[in-house]
Amino acid sequence: MSKLIKILLWVVGGVAVLMALVATYNTLAPLPVHEVRLPENVTIPYGDSLALAEGARIVSMSCTLCHRNQDGNLAGRPLPEKDFGDVYIANLTNHPEAGLGKYTDEELVHIIRTGIRPNGSQLVPIMPQFFRMSDEDLYRVIAYLRSDAPMVQPVEKYWPDNKLNFIGKALTRWVFKPAPMPTGPVAPPPSDDLVAQGEYLANAVYSCYQCHSASFETNNDHEPSLSQGYYGGGNPVGGLAGALTISANLTMHPEHGLGAWTVEDFGKAIREARRPDGRMLSPTMPPFTSLTDDEVAAIWAFLQTVPIQDNDARAALAQQ
Ligand code: HEC
Ligand code: HEC
């Protein structure tokens, strides 16, 4: 055997041993425990009917997509996709132990912003991190979750512990990092800046970029605009509400995106799931039924500023 081949064999063998060690580590080692720094000055607007109505609107267009079950409440359900292993979408009802009653307001803010529970454990990264949601909006959401609305009446449903598979563990351990807890107040976007408001709604509250960029795996959740194929669509989105469907290109490309649409077309599509050509959108695209006209206009103004992507997502959809 020549010396070169011997060296090569050693290198290949060394890499194989290293990979086996990393794989064993990922399978056996507990997931990391993170630092918890609870926020101060959390003031939930309990009993404020306007705040409750706003909270209800945000919850109904965001959290329900995952947390609502067949009974129409937010007691959670098993996640239909098994890509990460067996994952259970949590019970957000007001039950004192099985639901959110077990957390203080400060702890809830921490979980929803960072994806880290008070004991330092990280949520499975399917749950979005709402670290840029304004304090005002987040406190309204919590006021609603703690209210006596039918959707959050206490349900005594305990879900089993998640059983993450190899991929679920590796992604939680190494890829999807928890968001840092904001150190000061989180202000809403300026009220005279339509584009900033649209960006806030699309990226920080309703996570449109998550489904509408190239792939969940290449999304950058801490800096959405750095996601691969940002708003160019083509992401195969599965299971939560409908069948696996390829997401649409929302950039202003004249043929492959929304370049030829009007703001009215856009409003009908996102609120009523109806495209300009009359086709109904798949339920995989959650309808954002109660967005106001101003909010639709803001998201539309923001999409005008997103760099155009020439991705023919509809062709991929037609071939599906
Ligand atoms: C894309 C799906 C998805 C959306 C949207 C979503 N969640 Fe979750 N959420 C999850 C999953 C999955 C878990 C369970 C994670 C785990 O067990 O590690 C979870 C867990 C939680 C928990 C932890 C509960 C506990 O007992 O530990 C809270 C609180 C929560 N979600 C609140 C919210 C709120 C508030 C919203 C809307 C603003 C929301 N979620 C939107 C999927 C989602
Ligand atoms: C859970 C994933 C998901 C989220 C979140 C989501 N979408 Fe979609 N959206 C889709 C999918 C999948 C389609 C394609 C549906 C079809 O073609 O039937 C789609 C289609 C659309 C369309 C139709 C475009 C066309 O050319 O037909 C528009 C407009 C749209 N989404 C806007 C939005 C906006 C704005 C948001 C956030 C407020 C959003 N979507 C959030 C999955 C999502």
Side-chain angles (χ1 to χ4, degrees):
M1 212 179 333
S2 84
K3 203 169 170 191
L4 185 68
I5 292 183
K6 261 194 202 152
I7 293 174
L8 269 178
L9 280 177
W10 273 106
V11 170
V12 170
V15 169
V17 168
L18 204 69
M19 279 167 59
L21 281 176
V22 171
T24 312
Y25 174 81
N26 184 42
T27 309
L28 299 181
L31 288 171
V33 174
H34 298 271
E35 188 200 349
V36 174
R37 205 164 18 85
L38 292 182
E40 288 164 11
N41 307 321
V42 171
T43 43
I44 308 298
Y46 291 114
D48 173 341
S49 55
L50 216 70
L52 277 176
E54 280 299 297
R57 224 161 57 84
I58 298 174
V59 169
S60 76
M61 292 190 286
S62 172
C63 324
T64 54
L65 174 67
C66 295
H67 287 274
R68 185 165 55 195
N69 56 32
Q70 288 166 327
D71 301 330
N73 60 49
L74 295 189
R77 57 196 173 115
L79 186 77
E81 284 120 76
K82 301 284 175 204
D83 301 0
F84 286 52
D86 293 328
V87 174
Y88 299 89
I89 308 178
N91 181 347
L92 301 189
T93 71
N94 274 309
H95 192 276
E97 279 115 38
L100 295 188
K102 61 181 175 291
Y103 296 123
T104 64
D105 293 343
E106 287 76 13
E107 288 172 340
L108 258 187
V109 168
H110 195 274
I111 299 173
I112 299 170
R113 285 211 180 288
T114 65
I116 303 173
R117 293 197 181 87
N119 65 6
S121 67
Q122 186 181 348
L123 298 184
V124 181
I126 290 166
M127 159 81 187
Q129 299 161 351
F130 297 94
F131 62 101
R132 275 184 57 213
M133 190 184 272
S134 70
D135 289 331
E136 193 179 33
D137 280 344
L138 181 53
Y139 297 170
R140 290 163 167 171
V141 163
I142 293 176
Y144 175 76
L145 292 175
R146 303 271 210 214
S147 74
D148 58 3
M151 217 192 277
V152 290
Q153 299 266 316
V155 175
E156 188 171 14
K157 178 72 204 168
Y158 293 92
W159 295 106
D161 288 339
N162 298 322
K163 270 208 210 67
L164 291 184
N165 61 19
F166 189 79
I167 296 191
K169 277 189 191 163
L171 290 177
T172 308
R173 194 189 298 284
W174 288 307
V175 183
F176 295 100
K177 297 289 176 202
M181 184 67 196
T183 46
V186 185
S191 59
D192 59 353
D193 187 339
L194 203 60
V195 171
Q197 282 177 34
E199 193 276 336
Y200 169 75
L201 292 168
N203 288 347
V205 181
Y206 295 119
S207 313
C208 315
Y209 77 93
Q210 287 198 338
C211 291
H212 283 281
S213 302
S215 146
F216 292 115
E217 280 92 48
T218 52
N219 279 344
N220 185 327
D221 293 317
H222 297 176
E223 196 56 68
S225 67
L226 301 181
S227 301
Q228 224 171 61
Y230 183 53
Y231 281 107
N235 186 3
V237 182
L240 281 167
L244 189 84
T245 309
I246 292 172
S247 70
N249 183 342
L250 302 189
T251 69
M252 293 301 139
H253 191 279
E255 290 157 64
H256 302 150
L258 308 183
W261 288 31
T262 63
V263 65
E264 288 79 21
D265 293 336
F266 179 67
K268 277 208 184 91
I270 65 177
R271 286 194 291 217
E272 301 163 29
R274 210 152 22 105
R275 280 174 45 94
D277 65 8
R279 179 169 78 79
M280 294 303 285
L281 293 172
S282 144
T284 307
M285 160 69 193
F288 293 86
T289 322
S290 48
L291 287 179
T292 65
D293 288 348
D294 287 349
E295 289 172 330
V296 170
I299 300 176
W300 184 246
F302 159 64
L303 288 175
Q304 309 299 315
T305 68
V306 172
I308 291 179
Q309 304 270 344
D310 179 9
N311 176 32
D312 195 353
R314 272 182 225 136
L317 183 65
Q319 281 169 8
Q320 210 186 336

